[in-house]
Amino acid sequence: MNRRELLAALGTAPVATAALRAEEAAPQKPAPRQWAEIPPRESIRKRYFPNLPLLTHEGKEVRFYDDLVKDKMVLFNFMYATCTGICPTVMLNLARVRKILGDRVGRDIFLYSFTLKPQEDTLPVLAEYAEKHGLKPGWLLLTGKPDDIELLRHNLGFYDSNPELDRDTSNHIGIVRYGNEPLMRWGACPGMSTPEWIAKSILWVDWPPGQRAG
Amino acid sequence: MTFISRINRRREREAALAAKNRRELVAAGFTRRDLARMGLLTSAGYLVGVRGLSAWGGWSNGGYGSGWDGGSSHWNHCSYNCPQSPPTTPFSQPLFLMPVKQPVASLTPTPSIAPNTLGGEGRTRAHQAYTQFPPQLYYQSVLQPAQVSVHPELPLQSLWTFDGTFPGPTYQARYGQPILVRRVNNLPSNNGGFGLPSVSTHLHNGHTPSESDGFPCDFFEIGHFYDQHYPNVLPGFSSNYPPSGDIHEALSTLWYHDHRVDHTTENTYKGLAGFHLLFNQYDTGDETTGFRLPSGPYDVPMLLADRVFDQDTGLLTLDLMNTDGVLGDKFLVNGGIQPFFQVKRRRYRLRWLNSGPSRFYQLFLTNPSNFSQQIPFWQISNDGNLLPRPLQVTSTTLGVAERADVIVDFSQFPAGTSIVLENRLEQTNGKGPTGNVLAAGQGDYLLRFDVLPDAVTDASAAPTTSTQYYTLPTTTDTPRVTRTLKFSRRNGQWTINDKIFNCDSPAFRVKRNTAEKWILQNDSRDWQHPIHIHFEEFQILNTNSGYSGGSWGGGGGSAPTGVNVARKDVVRLKEGDQITLFFRFRDFVGRYALHCHNVVHEDHAMMLRWDIDDVGDTNSYP
């Protein structure tokens, strides 16, 4: 779409009007629509999971969809290193969730904690945080370009639709989003819930017995 | 007609153009800053609703006509995650009338009091009232996928259904005739985009033993079944009204729906809902007897729902990451988008149910040829429970899961008249309505009634002559305990009295056969909640903001008035509301739920488990 087309879209160029006039003279009965056939998994990927470049706390560059989400069971939350509100509780919960889920974490279940403050949470800060919290393989702290993180935050539903509340980081959304990407099963639970409940929740979207992909 | 068609064509064209333009903007890599510079993004970060960019094409509810076909404007104010369904021609299909569910001769394996775990039953607790109320009729209800048409201009939809239809078949049960419904989970493991094939079917408003209630955490998996025993007995049979219960607490319009914890939105959105009606010696199902309510083909359940369909595939779509509440731009009645319903010139009992997921309605009858005409009708129930007497109203308000039975007399209209069922309550996001009531013709058109010329008899009683249905039970008993429940939101997580939901232990325990008062407080900012309490109905004693008549807000008095002087199972909590409810908890024991019935809030843990036992507690702030 170029500038001229954009202006047309805004209704300031005459070309759009002319096209519409022609439409008005068309016969009454609209032709049956041809519907696109898009696999639902593809629609979900397009809508929510852009393949953005991100950095792990280990300094590794990864792609959000290809490397972190595709074919996996995942758990998302948002945090930042200096957060003293709900983050410590939620992160401690996730550490226990990791323990409950055992060796499946890192194999077919992955925990991802995104920083809300990519400019503050530099790699050394995240690495130190990971060290201090004893993060084990299968659980990554993630950062990226501020605009990319912001896009992910919105796509994954970690925003408050009240803009005033949304600007207040101390009020940031404390839910944990869980899902099974290939099975298109998604849910959420409070990050302040018990670790047992969070672990149980993610296992609700597990593969049926005998069908596990991991 | 030509004019309407032109407008429709133009709007369709503009909506498609808008969608294309938006896709191209994204594909071309325009940043937010670019958009803001071009004036296309507001300071709050929303795409402005310019024609050609908004998928609404600057018009409205995707595919409505204008003028008498229903020109809505308020969807232009949609602020975020705005629905963008393909256009559909309104009133181009008849209203679907659900079949009446028929019993079966027997079930295999034979139902048992203890859970038949080895036989594949998902139930975990024994039936507590089976011997006392042995089932007289058996039903088999299969949860299964089905290809369903919602509109002739959209492709067939892969829904999840009870017994193959959306809504599921209508149960017509009778007091004094206990039944058993076997739910069989034949859902596929491939959900087609959303839905969890793990289910718990709740009978909404039922005076049901806990193990058959459809408690959210009593879910069961593919290949399993779950027997639900409905005693169909009046409350109080074991306490204040032995031996058969209080006739004044008879229920009429119930519904059944999936209640899977954390996943109710997707499963009900996908089609798992239907009506369950209860009749007795007064509400007989025969308009020549009892209260003589319009019956048979003139007693019509209408399940209201709003949905979004994908612009490109035409298929039902759900925002999986939404936390506010999901609004649809397509309005379905009994599973069809904007159907028409041919009516005879006589009285009808219409049973309106707001099946969600998140929208509030204020329903009016609109004459599209004369918007200034007020069309009164008679509301005879609130939440499906008959009022003390019919009340004449010009509108009624329904939060999610609320029901209203109304009597509309179509003999007041000449043959050939068309009347539209219109929602005029403005709502621009999933959190709750704005409170504005739109002008007639500016709201959402749900269904069109077309008045037929046929001669017809009407044996039903005129509402003006029906002076008394049931008497409201007294609310003057001293409650054993008054409990306060404060609903708050902290870091995007719902809390009740600052606690987070957990299925595994009750927040409090009610002593069986006692009365309690519960004070519900909405402490969450700019959110509204239709709160549903399982098992026992309540009466609203007082509110701080007024809960009056059929209109949103309004009034300022402390006691409810009009149709809200009633037995209810859902109460709408506006922001800042404090509402006191009176209950009697009788007959059965076990776990029950209290939750917000905006199912998106419910799925984000806006719920609480409470139990009934023979000890109880007196925790006033559980």
Side-chain angles (χ1 to χ4, degrees), chain B residues 364-371 373 375 418-424 439-442 445:
Chain B
F364 291 77
L365 295 173
T366 300
N367 182 347
S369 311
N370 179 8
F371 287 134
Q373 182 183 353
I375 302 176
S418 285
I419 297 295
V420 171
L421 177 62
E422 183 179 20
N423 169 40
R424 286 168 49 188
Q442 295 298 306
Y445 281 7

Side-chain angles (χ1 to χ4, degrees), chain B residues 399-600:
Chain B
V400 182
E402 286 189 294
R403 288 88 67 214
D405 291 11
V406 302
I407 293 177
V408 179
D409 188 351
F410 290 100
S411 72
Q412 66 186 296
F413 305 112
T417 308
S418 285
I419 297 295
V420 171
L421 177 62
E422 183 179 20
N423 169 40
R424 286 168 49 188
L425 188 59
E426 183 186 58
Q427 184 162 357
T428 58
N429 63 44
K431 296 157 87 170
T434 63
N436 294 333
V437 177
L438 299 159
Q442 295 298 306
D444 313 310
Y445 281 7
L446 311 184
L447 170 145
R448 192 182 70 197
F449 297 99
D450 295 331
V451 181
L452 294 172
D454 313 23
V456 66
T457 56
D458 189 346
S460 72
T464 43
T465 64
S466 304
T467 50
Q468 187 74 42
Y469 295 140
Y470 302 124
T471 306
L472 286 173
T474 60
T475 54
T476 50
D477 305 21
T478 304
R480 181 169 176 272
V481 53
T482 298
R483 305 185 197 262
T484 298
L485 299 168
K486 186 183 75 179
F487 299 86
S488 313
R489 186 173 156 90
R490 182 181 171 200
N491 290 92
Q493 306 166 103
W494 296 109
T495 61
I496 301 176
N497 293 351
D498 303 317
K499 295 185 195 74
I500 282 175
F501 171 60
N502 190 326
C503 260
D504 299 331
S505 61
F508 57 89
R509 292 174 299 132
V510 171
K511 186 177 178 183
R512 169 156 59 174
N513 296 331
T514 63
E516 296 199 359
K517 281 185 194 174
W518 292 4
I519 300 169
L520 307 188
Q521 298 175 334
N522 183 1
D523 185 43
S524 58
R525 190 170 142 183
D526 68 350
W527 296 80
Q528 298 182 35
H529 307 292
I531 303 292
H532 171 50
I533 294 125
H534 285 210
F535 185 59
E536 282 283 14
E537 302 174 281
F538 53 79
Q539 291 180 60
I540 299 171
L541 293 183
N542 59 66
T543 79
N544 63 339
S545 68
Y547 199 95
S548 59
S551 62
W552 188 260
S558 63
T561 57
V563 298
N564 293 306
V565 182
R567 296 170 288 130
K568 286 184 64 59
D569 57 60
V570 178
V571 62
R572 300 186 299 270
L573 279 185
K574 301 189 301 299
E575 54 177 310
D577 268 2
Q578 171 170 301
I579 299 187
T580 306
L581 310 175
F582 178 89
F583 294 86
R584 285 186 185 83
F585 299 96
R586 289 159 297 182
D587 307 323
F588 302 122
V589 294
R591 51 191 182 232
Y592 293 97
L594 166 156
H595 60 91
C596 180
H597 222 298
N598 177 334
V599 283
V600 176

Side-chain angles (χ1 to χ4, degrees), chain A residues 1-3 5-6 8-11 16 19-21 23-31 33-38 40-41 43-44 47-49 76 85-86 90 147 150 154-165 167 169-175 177-178 183-194 197 200-201 204-205 208 211, chain B residues 1-2 5-6 9-10 12-14 17 21-22 24-25 28 30 32 38 40 44 46 50-53 80-81 86-87 89 153-155 188-197 217 219 222 260-263 266 310-314 317-324 431 489-494 500-504 525-527 603-605:
Chain A
M1 182 185 242
N2 60 31
R3 187 179 157 74
E5 285 166 325
L6 195 64
L10 284 165
L20 292 169
R21 288 275 151 74
E23 280 302 316
E24 280 175 32
Q28 285 190 21
K29 192 77 180 168
R33 270 197 64 168
Q34 294 299 307
W35 300 104
E37 287 192 21
I38 305 170
R41 186 178 171 190
S43 297
I44 293 170
R47 183 168 181 179
Y48 301 108
F49 308 134
F76 303 133
I86 60 163
V90 175
D147 281 355
E150 190 64 3
H154 275 257
N155 276 14
L156 302 179
F158 285 82
Y159 63 90
D160 196 306
S161 55
N162 178 329
E164 187 193 331
L165 290 177
R167 276 192 295 273
T169 14
S170 72
N171 182 59
H172 76 90
I173 304 298
I175 61 172
R177 179 83 63 192
Y178 59 86
L183 286 193
M184 302 174 284
R185 297 179 181 179
W186 292 95
C189 66
M192 302 283 281
S193 183
T194 63
W197 184 258
K200 197 169 4 183
S201 299
W204 287 336
V205 298
Q211 286 183 35
Chain B
M1 278 311 288
T2 311
S5 167
R6 275 183 198 165
R9 290 284 290 163
R10 193 168 71 184
E12 186 173 348
R13 168 81 183 163
E14 288 195 8
L17 186 71
N21 287 346
R22 281 153 44 106
E24 288 186 11
L25 274 174
F30 280 97
R32 294 160 67 85
M38 291 186 283
L40 297 178
Y46 308 133
V50 224
R51 190 179 292 188
L53 274 174
Y80 203 83
N81 278 338
T89 309
E153 291 158 16
L154 291 180
S189 61
N190 183 345
N191 68 5
F194 61 90
L196 193 72
C217 300
F219 49 83
I222 293 172
R260 174 55 162 85
V261 65
D262 277 14
H263 298 274
E266 41 189 334
D310 186 276
Q311 180 75 37
D312 298 316
T313 65
T317 180
L318 172 69
D319 182 0
L320 299 167
M321 307 296 168
N322 183 300
T323 52
D324 282 357
K431 296 157 87 170
R489 186 173 156 90
R490 182 181 171 200
N491 290 92
Q493 306 166 103
W494 296 109
I500 282 175
F501 171 60
N502 190 326
C503 260
D504 299 331
R525 190 170 142 183
D526 68 350
W527 296 80
D603 282 347
H604 287 84

